[in-house]
Amino acid sequence: MKFTDGYWLTRPQYQINSPQEVFDYKVDGKQLIAYAPYNKITTRNDELNLGMTTVKLSSPVEGVIGVKLVHFDQLTKGPSYELSDENPDVDIKTSDDEISLTSGPLTAKLPVRKDFKIEFEADGETVTKSEPKSEGEITDTGDKKHYMREKLSIDVDELIYGMGERFTPFVKNGQEVDIVQKDGGTGSEQAYKNIPFYLSSKGYGVFVNQPETVSFEVASEDVDKVQFSVEGQSIEYFVIYGPTPQEVLNRYTRLTGKITLPPAWSFGLWLSTSFTTDYSEKTVMGYINGMQERHIPLDVFHFDCFWQKGFEWCNFEWDPEMFPDPEGLIKKIHDKGVKVCVWINSYIGQKSPLFKEAAEKGYFIKRKDGNVWQWDLWQAGMGIVDFTNPEATKWYQSKLKALLDMGVDCFKTDFGERIPTEDAVYYDGSDPKRIHNYYTYLYNEAVFDLLKEEKGEDEAVLFARSATVGSQKFPVHWGGDNLSRYNSMADSLRGGLSFLMSGFGFWSHDIGGFEESATPDIYKRWTQFGLLSSHSRYHGSIEARVPWNYDDEAVDVTRKFVDFKLSIMPYLYTEAVHTAETGTPLMRPVFMEYLKDRNAYTLDKEYMLGSKLLVAPIFNDQGKANYYLPAGKWTNVLTEQYYDVTDGGNWFSETYDHLNLPLLARENSILVRNEAAQHADYDYTKDVTIHLYNMVQGTTEQKVVDDHGQDAAKVTVTRDGKHFTVVADGLNGNVTVKVHEAGQVTEEKVGEFDI
């Protein structure tokens, strides 16, 4: 939101007051409070008829400093994000000239009785700062709305990322970003997953702790600053120091909620009925049997909306015409070794038998006149479940429990974005503008908590579309309604990388695109990308995304990349455990692994899958791959092509058939694989091959977890010239070693050998 007219003028409808100096301060326990009036005080008379901002500094996590700017200290209706307070030690210093609060390596300094500013320092350098007149208490003289604003400086070469799953350019400099949930697809500035958190290339992050709409101007209104503002009388933000992106995300997720590790089976292939296709028990079993007949492993089958009768979403009852024996069908699917997921949302159509029950019990969001808040957008006359009502939450969970008792394993929690802000009344009195973004948290929390209770914490997983701060505790999320086009495929990746840099660990997307028919070519290229993502699901709107609907080669491509993903689960799940423990996303931008390579800082059409593998999807029907490799020794794990990039990084332009793409292991990588795997959850320590890629001199270790995420084995490789010693503690059965060295592959046994 813009308040100025160029650099010098204020837009005529706004009146802006900014703190001019710290006039007074106090220390309250571990909190530093400063009082900053809107004029400098030279006489006692200056203290009259004058506003001020109260500035409160605190630290909930070591290396994180919170700043709350308050004009009028008013009561705030809920909701608020659930934040952790680790109660770290802080060092508060005061003097006649300066006050400061230090938490770990980060310090916030404010001068006293001088031009107002807040400077954040770490490791002897300024990280960012709020300069004079950056903070603003703002009144719209027309509609009398009130806003609070802050602007934090950015350096000449500084790049800004994140803010949720954004489909606009990857680097956010120059953009206006409104943090407000919208059901707008994947091809506009709107987003399903809006996170008021940005990550800087300079080694810090900023989280704005406001659940209502936060308006960011990222090097746009003021090209040397990131500005953020909210409607109201106060604003709170946290500066989070790194100095690496990994350390920033670790501190951010410690503050807002640790990432939850999904069950291992969820990393396998999910196959959907798709949306508007006709399907019945016969159709469903035909899809599942068809995959098995073609030797394509399948881990999850998803029933989309029409498992229920039309106009009755949600009634949580199987359409008896199409599915006369749902328990029997679920058993048949389970007997095939496949899990079952069903689509749900938190809206109840008026035709649903549940509508009257929920309305009579007060389980819906209401209007001010006491009626249910209804509209026809999505389902005719639908009401929206009010999760601020504990009884409504229990009621909703009871409907899902009946499905779990039938044998359903997990839920796709769709929607949660179109939540009313006007003429809306919530059970607990929540402010409609604050709960709009937050609603998805309550919705997915209700479903996830039920799954933990019924299935166990290790088995709970969702497939969710909307998200807000803290939703990383309820994985997994997928990208939403994309198109069956290469541009949309690239948009999806760009949005996913932004999302994953916003505190989330796991992400998926509709393989083949959602809205349109897919060509065989795009189906195959998207299959490669989808099965080299953390989670993989075929889904569409108007056609079933089974590979034989496209051509025989599509079957081969699907089989090859499903087999590959399952084979690397010892690597992938070990990396996933690291994600849950540290906050580093499983899929991540290349620059997060190559911080010294400035060429990598804008890459958004390739990514790292874990710490060892680089993936460059192909976004055209000519099979042309244009991608960048940082300096080092790389090996394509599909083709064995070797690259020795010695003089900085380098760009490559190559052509690939549909069975291959740039999928490269970096040097000194240990990949433990089982190429006979038929599901994503298996014994990762048995009958495996240890792949060694261009190992460096000295000793390298790689741990391996089991399919519950517990440490189970460790591979230790020591290289002395061409002599190798490989120790495989905890691995058993038939264990072999393959050494990939400068394009040559040799097979060895565990122990000592020369190459």
Side-chain angles (χ1 to χ4, degrees), residues 224-243:
D224 297 321
K225 294 180 174 64
V226 176
Q227 172 180 300
F228 42 91
S229 59
V230 296
E231 183 180 346
Q233 296 286 346
S234 67
I235 188 170
E236 184 175 37
Y237 65 93
F238 294 87
V239 175
I240 305 169
Y241 185 59

Side-chain angles (χ1 to χ4, degrees), residues 20 28 138 222 277 315 351 361 547 579 582 643 692 694 732:
Q20 296 299 305
D28 183 8
I138 304 171
D222 185 332
T277 54
N315 63 17
K351 185 176 181 291
K361 292 182 176 180
T579 289
T582 66
Y643 304 82
L692 308 179
N694 301 300
N732 58 85

Side-chain angles (χ1 to χ4, degrees), residues 308-318 320 347-361 363-364 379-380 395 399:
Q308 305 165 95
K309 285 186 175 181
F311 287 109
E312 295 190 13
W313 304 337
C314 284
N315 63 17
F316 305 112
E317 294 181 356
W318 295 81
Y347 311 150
I348 310 292
Q350 189 169 284
K351 185 176 181 291
S352 169
L354 300 182
F355 184 90
K356 183 178 180 182
E357 177 185 352
E360 289 177 347
K361 292 182 176 180
Y363 292 164
F364 289 134
Q379 290 286 278
W395 172 83
K399 307 304 176 184

Side-chain angles (χ1 to χ4, degrees), residues 109-271:
K109 295 181 177 180
L110 292 82
V112 176
R113 296 296 184 99
K114 299 176 185 176
D115 288 346
F116 180 88
K117 65 178 179 178
I118 308 175
E119 193 161 6
F120 298 91
E121 296 181 353
D123 299 329
E125 296 184 358
T126 298
V127 174
T128 187
K129 56 188 173 182
S130 173
E131 297 181 296
K133 297 185 179 180
S134 289
E135 295 174 0
E137 173 266 309
I138 304 171
T139 300
D140 187 322
T141 57
D143 61 18
K144 306 304 180 184
K145 288 183 178 179
H146 192 273
Y147 303 89
M148 294 294 286
R149 180 196 72 190
E150 175 65 291
K151 294 193 283 186
L152 296 178
S153 64
I154 55 176
D155 281 346
V156 173
D157 294 326
E158 190 170 343
L159 305 178
I160 302 299
Y161 309 92
M163 302 187 186
E165 187 183 38
R166 313 222 73 83
F167 306 102
T168 53
F170 180 54
V171 175
K172 300 303 181 287
N173 297 50
Q175 299 182 42
E176 178 179 348
V177 178
D178 285 338
I179 302 298
V180 55
Q181 308 288 64
K182 298 280 189 179
D183 179 0
T186 64
S188 75
E189 82 284 358
Q190 296 182 2
Y192 306 103
K193 308 170 188 66
N194 295 267
I195 313 297
F197 166 76
Y198 66 84
L199 186 63
S200 165
S201 62
K202 197 176 173 183
Y204 70 94
V206 175
F207 163 50
V208 183
N209 184 29
Q210 304 286 155
E212 65 269 48
T213 299
V214 182
S215 180
F216 284 91
E217 297 286 345
V218 186
S220 49
E221 184 174 13
D222 185 332
V223 298
D224 297 321
K225 294 180 174 64
V226 176
Q227 172 180 300
F228 42 91
S229 59
V230 296
E231 183 180 346
Q233 296 286 346
S234 67
I235 188 170
E236 184 175 37
Y237 65 93
F238 294 87
V239 175
I240 305 169
Y241 185 59
T244 67
Q246 288 89 336
E247 290 169 293
V248 174
L249 291 172
N250 176 268
R251 288 186 166 112
Y252 171 77
T253 53
R254 283 161 55 191
L255 176 64
T256 62
K258 298 280 284 184
I259 296 169
T260 298
L261 177 69
W265 54 262
S266 71
F267 287 75
L269 179 62
W270 298 48
L271 177 64

Side-chain angles (χ1 to χ4, degrees), residues 484 486 512 517-524 543 550 621:
S484 298
Y486 278 115
S517 296
T519 64
D521 180 81
I522 202 167
Y523 181 89
K524 297 167 199 174
E543 64 186 19
Y550 298 92
D621 59 7

Side-chain angles (χ1 to χ4, degrees), residues 429-561:
S430 283
D431 180 345
K433 291 182 179 179
R434 286 175 66 91
I435 202 171
H436 172 82
N437 289 343
Y438 192 78
Y439 180 89
T440 181
Y441 184 92
L442 298 175
Y443 165 34
N444 283 285
E445 179 184 44
V447 181
F448 200 80
D449 282 353
L450 175 68
L451 286 165
K452 288 195 297 184
E453 181 180 330
E454 296 297 317
K455 298 288 186 179
E457 290 197 10
D458 292 344
E459 289 293 299
V461 66
L462 303 176
F463 218 84
R465 187 173 76 176
S466 56
T468 189
V469 174
S471 295
Q472 63 267 19
K473 295 182 287 187
F474 319 128
V476 170
H477 295 83
W478 102 96
D481 298 346
N482 45 22
L483 305 177
S484 298
R485 305 176 188 180
Y486 278 115
N487 277 0
S488 191
M489 181 176 159
D491 296 342
S492 293
L493 174 56
R494 188 167 61 248
L497 292 177
S498 289
F499 175 65
L500 291 160
M501 292 182 72
S502 303
F504 290 77
F506 309 101
W507 174 78
S508 186
H509 44 95
D510 290 342
I511 299 176
F514 176 72
E515 288 287 356
E516 303 164 320
S517 296
T519 64
D521 180 81
I522 202 167
Y523 181 89
K524 297 167 199 174
R525 292 303 182 193
W526 211 318
T527 291
Q528 296 175 335
F529 169 37
L531 284 158
L532 293 170
S533 300
S534 88
H535 285 74
S536 311
R537 182 184 69 155
Y538 280 123
H539 186 56
S541 178
I542 59 177
E543 64 186 19
R545 296 282 193 235
V546 288
W548 55 89
N549 278 354
Y550 298 92
D551 58 29
D552 290 342
E553 188 182 49
V555 174
D556 295 336
V557 171
T558 300
R559 182 189 306 111
K560 177 173 181 174
F561 284 92

